[in-house]
Amino acid sequence: MERYKIIKEVGDGTFGSVWRAINKQAGEIVAIKKMKRKYYSWEECISLREVKSLRKMSHPNIVKLKEVIRENDILYFVFEYMECNLYQLIKDRGKLFSETEVRNWCFQVFQGLAYIHQQGYFHRDLKPENLLVSKNIIKIADFGLAREISSQPPYTEYVSTRWYRAPEVLLQSPMYNSAVDMWAMGAIMAELFTLCPLFPGSSEADEIYRICSVIGTPTEIVWAEGLKLASAINYQFPQLTGVHLSVLVPSASEDAINLIKSLCSWDPCKRPTALEALQHPFFQSCFYIPPSLRSKMAVTRTPPSATRGLSEQKSVRRYSGTVSDSKPASKFPPAKSHVPLTTASNYNVKIGCGVSETAEKLGNLTVGNARLPAKQALPAPMKAGGCHGQTDLFLGRSQEIQTRRSFTKKVVG
Ligand code: ADP
Ligand code: MG
């Protein structure tokens, strides 16, 4: 660590604090995440599956892990430095982002996600705080670590951030997959348009209630598996019809609404994969090549996104075949397969994140009929964000942001 000069703290999370630092020799600015938990052997650090995966990941839209250092039983991760996180941008934003900005960010995140999923991982904690931005580039950060780190006390209460948590996880599905990241992306995308979280639940039950109030209660046809999951934990969905998303996200185009809607499908199988999302008409302009460049493109078949420094990914290149006529693949959504990597029980056993506690909370609850056990008033485990437990469905933007601000973890700088 002597090789680095610490400049200032830029983030303080549950598992570590993040500092801006400079590599004295190279003069390079980096971000150093100092883990709160102690690591007593090097093996303990490098055998972390997530550390291995992070070191392997190399993609323009994934924050690069440069070095792992263990010194005096403290573990440090040295990352490339990013200017800020997406939450900070949203919170400080006075006016709405343009659709072009939203599109550019989402296009990049989906590329990063497609890569992660292709590598056989899924993030599980996608949220604006974990998407880091520098200039026009956005990168996925903080992935994979939570699971391993959370397996050690005192981190037993950690579960992915509630507002972006997929319904199958809320309903304690024994098995979930990369589609949970797609759900989170739907919520994030909507938030980028409105600057307000789409499903800011104050508890697991309130989270489901809010989801029902937006996308309507699932029926047997919509999500048979979900109804089974709910009945397995004795949970009764509130009966709500939902609203048209364009009412809640008025500044979004029809294509954008369409994509958010499919990402936020109750049934994980009905959500597009990251690769499919990239082919959605919403991203059509990302594939636009000026006619003057088309002949060159036809020869090189380079993805147009590369012109923005976005993609070197093989899987995305595949779509560049459609570039010369400046249209995305016509079929949406084609047959898909989310990466089934782990089971919730697996995950929960590992992180000890209190499945039974949550199941109990949900199981005892009939939100629609206002039968709330005293227990429900307890703040649910959360890492960042949260509400005051109010059940008003649609607060004004300023209230939402205020609420969220006051509960979000400290972010310095
Ligand atoms: P935690 O697991 O505690 O949430 P994160 O890795 O998400 O830790 O980091 C917490 C915060 O620190 C992020 O939300 C971000 O604001 C900041 N941060 C993390 N990594 C970087 C980085 N590479 N460059 C700049 N800031 C970073
Ligand atoms: Mg984080």
Side-chain angles (χ1 to χ4, degrees), residues 13-15 33 123 125 127 129-131 141-143 158 383 409:
T14 318
F15 308 114
K33 184 170 174 178
H123 189 285
D125 197 16
K127 58 179 173 178
E129 289 91 332
N130 287 339
L131 297 174
D142 194 12
F143 64 96
Y158 178 81
K383 194 178 177 196
K409 68 185 171 188

Side-chain angles (χ1 to χ4, degrees), residues 370-388:
R371 184 166 64 79
L372 303 173
K375 214 187 261 179
Q376 207 263 318
L378 292 170
M382 59 192 294
K383 194 178 177 196
C387 289
H388 295 292

Side-chain angles (χ1 to χ4, degrees), residues 44-58:
E44 203 186 343
C45 308
I46 54 167
S47 66
L48 295 176
R49 196 147 59 96
E50 285 71 24
V51 172
K52 283 186 194 158
S53 71
L54 264 170
R55 290 171 81 191
K56 264 191 290 174
M57 300 243 179
S58 174

Side-chain angles (χ1 to χ4, degrees), residues 127-378:
K127 58 179 173 178
E129 289 91 332
N130 287 339
L131 297 174
L132 306 186
V133 181
S134 265
K135 308 275 178 298
N136 287 326
I137 305 294
I138 189 163
K139 305 197 181 202
I140 302 169
D142 194 12
F143 64 96
L145 290 172
R147 179 176 154 184
E148 190 69 44
I149 290 159
S150 305
S151 63
Q152 305 295 328
Y155 306 119
T156 49
E157 289 212 319
Y158 178 81
V159 282
S160 64
T161 308
R162 190 192 309 122
W163 296 354
Y164 308 92
R165 202 179 300 162
E168 64 272 27
V169 180
L170 288 164
L171 290 171
Q172 299 302 318
S173 166
M175 189 114 153
Y176 59 87
N177 59 27
S178 53
V180 298
D181 291 340
M182 304 314 291
W183 173 275
M185 276 309 293
I188 293 170
M189 208 176 137
E191 186 168 342
L192 279 171
F193 276 106
T194 60
L195 307 179
C196 289
L198 184 61
F199 308 120
S202 56
S203 63
E204 279 84 354
D206 186 45
E207 186 66 29
I208 301 191
Y209 186 89
R210 282 168 183 271
I211 295 171
C212 290
S213 70
V214 174
I215 64 174
T217 305
T219 60
E220 190 72 27
I221 294 165
V222 167
W223 192 28
E225 184 56 34
L227 300 195
K228 277 191 215 148
L229 287 172
S231 87
I233 56 168
N234 198 24
Y235 176 73
Q236 215 180 317
F237 282 104
Q239 292 305 309
L240 298 163
T241 46
V243 285
H244 201 282
L245 261 180
S246 59
V247 175
L248 297 177
V249 194
S251 62
S253 66
E254 210 182 311
D255 280 340
I257 292 288
N258 230 300
L259 179 55
I260 296 170
K261 222 165 140 180
S262 63
L263 290 165
C264 291
S265 298
W266 281 111
D267 186 345
C269 303
K270 291 179 187 149
R271 290 172 215 151
T273 64
L275 283 175
E276 286 164 3
L278 287 165
Q279 295 176 82
H280 190 277
F282 177 60
F283 294 118
Q284 175 154 0
S285 59
C286 297
F287 290 89
Y288 176 78
I289 302 293
S292 57
L293 289 177
R294 280 184 200 166
S295 53
K296 283 182 201 158
M297 289 300 297
V299 176
T300 60
R301 295 178 84 79
T302 305
S305 53
T307 58
R308 291 165 214 192
L310 301 184
S311 169
E312 289 152 13
Q313 204 179 316
K314 215 182 359 176
S315 46
V316 173
R317 255 183 218 141
R318 224 177 69 202
Y319 302 124
S320 64
T322 61
V323 157
S324 50
D325 55 21
S326 56
K327 275 186 189 155
S330 57
K331 207 163 41 119
F332 180 81
K336 56 179 141 298
S337 69
H338 289 292
V339 187
L341 265 181
T342 190
T343 61
S345 51
N346 239 332
Y347 174 49
N348 286 318
V349 166
K350 250 197 142 195
I351 68 170
C353 74
V355 182
S356 51
E357 183 201 53
T358 313
E360 204 184 323
K361 269 188 208 156
L362 284 173
N364 288 331
L365 204 66
T366 310
V367 189
N369 300 337
R371 184 166 64 79
L372 303 173
K375 214 187 261 179
Q376 207 263 318
L378 292 170

